[in-house]
Amino acid sequence: MCIRRLFRSSHLQWAWRAAFLKHKQCGHQGPWRWTHSGGGPYRAVIFDMGGVLIPSPGKVAAGQASSATAEQSGKMTEFISNLAWEFAVKEGFRIFKEMPAAKPLTRSYHTWAGPRSLSSTPGTRSYTPLPEPSSAHAPKGALVISPEGLSPPVRELYQRLERFMDQYVYPAEPELQRHQASAERWTPSPLVEDLKEKAKAKGLWNLFLPLEADPERKYGAGLTNVEYAHLCELMGMSLYAPEMFNCSAPDTGNMELLVRYGTEEQKARWLTPLLEGKARSCFAMTEPQVASSDATNIESSIREEGDCYVINGHKWWITGILDPRCQLCVFMGKTDPQAPRHQQQSILLVPMDTPGIKVIRPLTVYGLDDAPGGHGEVVFEQVRVPKDSMVLGPGRGFEIAQGRLGPGRIHHCMRLIGHSERALALMKARVKSRVAFGKPLVEQGTVLADIAQSRVEIEQARLLVLKAAHLMDVVGNKAAALDIAMIKMVAPSMAYRVIDRAVQAFGAAGLSGDYPLAQFFSWARALRFADGPDEVHRAAVAKMELKNRI
C-alpha cells in the first residue's frame, strides 16, 4: 500500500490518497494488490478534509465487477476508507491546525457580492427568486444580478418599462426605420415625439441619473447604477427606445455633467430644457488632426479676451450636432498649453446659434448617417461666449470629462447587452424557420455552437458590467476604474461577435435594413472607438493589474 499526502498551501487544502497499483508499479505484493477479471489496477479513494470520499480515475463500481473477487474488493475499499478516516482524525487535523495561516492573494476587486444561486430553464434565461429587500432600494452590499432581485418599487418600474416596450416601441420600429431612410430623415420623427410624451406620462422619464449624483431625486428617478443597468439593457433592445425615455447619449452625459458641475444659472438655462426633452445637446472633443483617444492631445484653443472666451478649432464625430433640436454644444479645448498636462483643458457651454459654428458635413458609419442626430464634422472660427459659460473653472476640463465618462460608459455597455440579447433572440427564431441541406438550421452543429457561445459571452459580459455598476455604487467611480476599463474592453467586442453570428445565421437578410442587426452591428463596432480604443482600455487594465501585489 502506498499512501501519499497532497498539499496545496495557497488554499490550505490537503488530502490523503491511498493508491493501490499493480505489483510492477508499486512494488507491493500479497493481499494489497487488487485485481478483477480485467486484470487492471484499482486506485482507491481520495479522502478530502470536507469528509467526502471521491473515487479516483480507476474507481470501483458495482456495475464494473465481473469476477468472484468483486465482493472482496468492495470490503477492501471500505476497510481502506475507514483507515484513511482514522488516520486523518488522529494525525491529519493536528497537522492542519498547526499550519500557519497562508497570506491570501491580493485581488484587484474592492468588494464582493454574496453568493447567488441561479437556475435556468432550457431555451430561457430565468433566475431563482430572491428575497425582497426591506428598503426602497437593494442593500448597497448586494449585487443584483437579475430584474427579479430588484427592490419592489424598481421591479415595478422595470415591468412598466417592459410593457411600454412591448406595447409601443417594438410596433413603432418599422415606421421609424422608414422615416430614417426617407428624405425627411433630418427632421425628428413625430412618432418619436408622441411616444416621448406617453413615456413621460407613465413615469418612464429621466431614469438614468444615478442616485449618488442626485440624492434628493430633484432631476431623475433616483436609481442606483445597478438598478439603472437592468433598465438600460431593456432599452437597448431597440435602437430607438433610449430617446423615448430621455435616456439617450450624448444628452445623458451632458445632463449629468451639468448636475455635478454646473452653476445654478447654467442648470436653469441648459439642464431644465434637456430634462424636459425640449432640447438636445452634443459633446465636442474629438479632432481629426490628433489621436483624440488621448484627451490631452486636444488642440482647439480657448482664449480669454475681455469678458469673453474665444474658441477656434476643428472637431469631428460630434454626435447629435446635426439634430435641429440641438441647442447646446459642450466644448472641450485648451486654455493654457503651458500648464501641467492634465490642467491645460477647459470645458465651455456653447449655444448652437453662436456665430462662427460651421457644420461641414455629416459623417457615416458603415454607410449609415444616423439621422436626425448624425455625426458631424464642425469648424469653430472665432466663436465668442461669455465667461460664465466656463464649467467649474479653467484647467478643469480633463477632470470633468473623466467624471462624465464613467456612468455614460456603463450605459453604453448595458445597451450593447440589450442589442446582443435581441440579436440572439432573432437568431434563434430564424434558425428554427429555415431549412438547409435537408434539415432545419437549428439542427446544424455549427449553428448550435454559435447559439451556445453567444449565450455564454452575453452572460459573462452582463455580470462584469453589473459588478462595475455595483462598485460605482458602493465605492465610487474612481475606485471602480479598473472594472469600468474592463467592461469598456469586453462589452463592445462581445456584442460585435454575437451580432455577427446572428447576421451569419440570417444570411443576406441580416445585412439589410429589414432587421435591426446591421445597425446593431455598426453601433457595436463604432463603440470600440467612441468609448476609447480597445488598446487604451487594455493598457489601463494591464497597468492597474501590475500595480497589484501578487
CSV table of all heavy atoms in Angstrom, one decimal, residues 18 120 126 154 171 199 233 237 245 260 289 362 377 393 396 419 438 443 470 513 528:
chain,number,residue,atom,x,y,z
A,18,ALA,N,-4.9,7.0,-0.9
A,18,ALA,CA,-4.4,5.6,-0.8
A,18,ALA,C,-4.5,5.0,-2.2
A,18,ALA,O,-5.6,4.9,-2.8
A,18,ALA,CB,-5.3,4.8,0.1
A,120,SER,N,-31.8,27.7,-14.4
A,120,SER,CA,-32.1,28.0,-15.8
A,120,SER,C,-33.1,27.0,-16.4
A,120,SER,O,-33.0,25.8,-16.0
A,120,SER,CB,-30.9,28.2,-16.7
A,120,SER,OG,-30.2,27.0,-16.7
A,126,SER,N,-33.8,32.3,-16.8
A,126,SER,CA,-34.6,32.5,-15.7
A,126,SER,C,-33.7,32.4,-14.4
A,126,SER,O,-32.7,31.8,-14.4
A,126,SER,CB,-35.8,31.6,-15.6
A,126,SER,OG,-35.3,30.2,-15.5
A,154,VAL,N,-38.5,49.3,-7.8
A,154,VAL,CA,-37.7,49.3,-9.0
A,154,VAL,C,-38.2,48.2,-9.9
A,154,VAL,O,-38.2,48.3,-11.2
A,154,VAL,CB,-36.2,49.2,-8.7
A,154,VAL,CG1,-35.4,49.3,-10.0
A,154,VAL,CG2,-35.8,50.4,-7.8
A,171,PRO,N,-43.6,47.8,-31.9
A,171,PRO,CA,-44.5,48.1,-33.0
A,171,PRO,C,-44.2,49.3,-33.9
A,171,PRO,O,-44.5,49.4,-35.0
A,171,PRO,CB,-45.9,48.2,-32.4
A,171,PRO,CG,-45.8,47.5,-31.1
A,171,PRO,CD,-44.4,47.7,-30.6
A,199,ALA,N,-44.3,58.2,-22.7
A,199,ALA,CA,-43.4,57.7,-21.7
A,199,ALA,C,-43.4,58.6,-20.4
A,199,ALA,O,-43.3,58.2,-19.3
A,199,ALA,CB,-42.0,57.6,-22.3
A,233,GLU,N,-30.4,48.0,-20.1
A,233,GLU,CA,-30.3,46.8,-21.0
A,233,GLU,C,-31.6,46.6,-21.8
A,233,GLU,O,-31.7,46.3,-23.0
A,233,GLU,CB,-30.0,45.5,-20.2
A,233,GLU,CG,-30.0,44.3,-21.1
A,233,GLU,CD,-29.7,43.0,-20.3
A,233,GLU,OE1,-29.2,43.0,-19.2
A,233,GLU,OE2,-30.1,41.9,-20.9
A,237,MET,N,-32.7,47.0,-26.2
A,237,MET,CA,-33.3,46.0,-27.1
A,237,MET,C,-33.8,46.7,-28.4
A,237,MET,O,-34.0,46.0,-29.4
A,237,MET,CB,-34.5,45.3,-26.5
A,237,MET,CG,-34.2,44.5,-25.3
A,237,MET,SD,-33.5,42.9,-25.7
A,237,MET,CE,-33.5,42.1,-24.2
A,245,PHE,N,-37.3,57.7,-23.7
A,245,PHE,CA,-37.4,57.8,-22.3
A,245,PHE,C,-36.4,58.9,-21.8
A,245,PHE,O,-36.1,59.0,-20.6
A,245,PHE,CB,-37.0,56.5,-21.6
A,245,PHE,CG,-37.8,55.4,-22.1
A,245,PHE,CD1,-37.3,54.4,-23.0
A,245,PHE,CD2,-39.2,55.2,-21.8
A,245,PHE,CE1,-38.1,53.4,-23.5
A,245,PHE,CE2,-39.9,54.2,-22.2
A,245,PHE,CZ,-39.4,53.3,-23.1
A,260,ARG,N,-23.6,67.7,-11.8
A,260,ARG,CA,-22.4,67.5,-11.0
A,260,ARG,C,-21.6,68.8,-10.9
A,260,ARG,O,-21.1,69.2,-9.8
A,260,ARG,CB,-21.5,66.4,-11.5
A,260,ARG,CG,-22.0,65.0,-11.3
A,260,ARG,CD,-21.1,64.0,-11.9
A,260,ARG,NE,-21.5,62.6,-11.8
A,260,ARG,CZ,-21.3,61.8,-10.8
A,260,ARG,NH1,-20.6,62.3,-9.7
A,260,ARG,NH2,-21.8,60.6,-10.7
A,289,GLN,N,-7.1,66.1,-36.5
A,289,GLN,CA,-5.7,66.2,-36.7
A,289,GLN,C,-4.8,65.4,-35.6
A,289,GLN,O,-3.6,65.3,-35.8
A,289,GLN,CB,-5.3,67.7,-36.6
A,289,GLN,CG,-5.9,68.6,-37.6
A,289,GLN,CD,-7.2,69.2,-37.1
A,289,GLN,OE1,-7.8,68.7,-36.2
A,289,GLN,NE2,-7.6,70.3,-37.8
A,362,PRO,N,-22.1,65.8,-42.6
A,362,PRO,CA,-22.4,64.6,-41.7
A,362,PRO,C,-21.5,63.5,-42.1
A,362,PRO,O,-21.1,63.3,-43.3
A,362,PRO,CB,-23.9,64.3,-42.1
A,362,PRO,CG,-24.0,64.7,-43.5
A,362,PRO,CD,-23.1,65.9,-43.7
A,377,GLU,N,-18.9,66.8,-38.8
A,377,GLU,CA,-17.6,67.5,-38.8
A,377,GLU,C,-17.8,69.0,-38.7
A,377,GLU,O,-18.6,69.5,-39.5
A,377,GLU,CB,-16.8,67.1,-40.0
A,377,GLU,CG,-15.4,67.7,-40.0
A,377,GLU,CD,-14.6,67.2,-41.2
A,377,GLU,OE1,-15.0,66.3,-42.0
A,377,GLU,OE2,-13.4,67.6,-41.3
A,393,GLY,N,-14.3,75.8,-13.9
A,393,GLY,CA,-13.1,76.7,-13.9
A,393,GLY,C,-12.1,76.3,-14.9
A,393,GLY,O,-12.1,75.2,-15.4
A,396,ARG,N,-10.0,72.7,-15.7
A,396,ARG,CA,-10.7,71.5,-15.1
A,396,ARG,C,-11.3,70.6,-16.1
A,396,ARG,O,-12.1,69.7,-15.7
A,396,ARG,CB,-11.8,72.1,-14.1
A,396,ARG,CG,-11.3,73.1,-13.1
A,396,ARG,CD,-10.4,72.5,-12.0
A,396,ARG,NE,-11.1,71.6,-11.2
A,396,ARG,CZ,-11.9,72.0,-10.1
A,396,ARG,NH1,-12.0,73.2,-9.8
A,396,ARG,NH2,-12.4,71.0,-9.4
A,419,HIS,N,-28.7,45.0,-27.1
A,419,HIS,CA,-28.5,44.7,-28.6
A,419,HIS,C,-28.2,43.2,-28.8
A,419,HIS,O,-28.8,42.6,-29.7
A,419,HIS,CB,-27.3,45.5,-29.2
A,419,HIS,CG,-27.5,47.0,-29.3
A,419,HIS,ND1,-28.7,47.6,-28.9
A,419,HIS,CD2,-26.7,47.9,-29.8
A,419,HIS,CE1,-28.6,48.9,-29.1
A,419,HIS,NE2,-27.4,49.1,-29.6
A,438,GLY,N,-31.4,19.8,-46.2
A,438,GLY,CA,-32.2,18.7,-45.8
A,438,GLY,C,-32.7,18.7,-44.4
A,438,GLY,O,-33.4,17.9,-44.0
A,443,GLU,N,-30.7,22.5,-36.4
A,443,GLU,CA,-30.1,21.1,-36.1
A,443,GLU,C,-28.7,21.1,-36.6
A,443,GLU,O,-28.0,20.0,-36.5
A,443,GLU,CB,-31.0,20.1,-36.8
A,443,GLU,CG,-32.4,19.9,-36.2
A,443,GLU,CD,-33.2,18.9,-36.9
A,443,GLU,OE1,-32.7,18.1,-37.7
A,443,GLU,OE2,-34.4,18.8,-36.6
A,470,HIS,N,-22.1,48.0,-9.6
A,470,HIS,CA,-22.2,47.8,-8.2
A,470,HIS,C,-21.0,48.5,-7.5
A,470,HIS,O,-21.2,49.2,-6.4
A,470,HIS,CB,-22.1,46.3,-7.9
A,470,HIS,CG,-21.9,45.9,-6.5
A,470,HIS,ND1,-22.9,46.1,-5.5
A,470,HIS,CD2,-20.9,45.3,-5.8
A,470,HIS,CE1,-22.5,45.7,-4.4
A,470,HIS,NE2,-21.3,45.2,-4.5
A,513,GLY,N,-31.8,46.4,-44.1
A,513,GLY,CA,-32.5,47.3,-43.1
A,513,GLY,C,-33.8,46.7,-42.6
A,513,GLY,O,-34.5,47.3,-41.8
A,528,ARG,N,-16.3,50.6,-30.1
A,528,ARG,CA,-14.9,50.2,-29.8
A,528,ARG,C,-14.0,51.4,-30.1
A,528,ARG,O,-12.8,51.3,-29.7
A,528,ARG,CB,-14.5,49.0,-30.7
A,528,ARG,CG,-15.3,47.8,-30.3
A,528,ARG,CD,-15.0,46.6,-31.2
A,528,ARG,NE,-13.6,46.2,-31.0
A,528,ARG,CZ,-13.0,45.4,-31.9
A,528,ARG,NH1,-13.7,44.8,-32.9
A,528,ARG,NH2,-11.7,45.1,-31.7
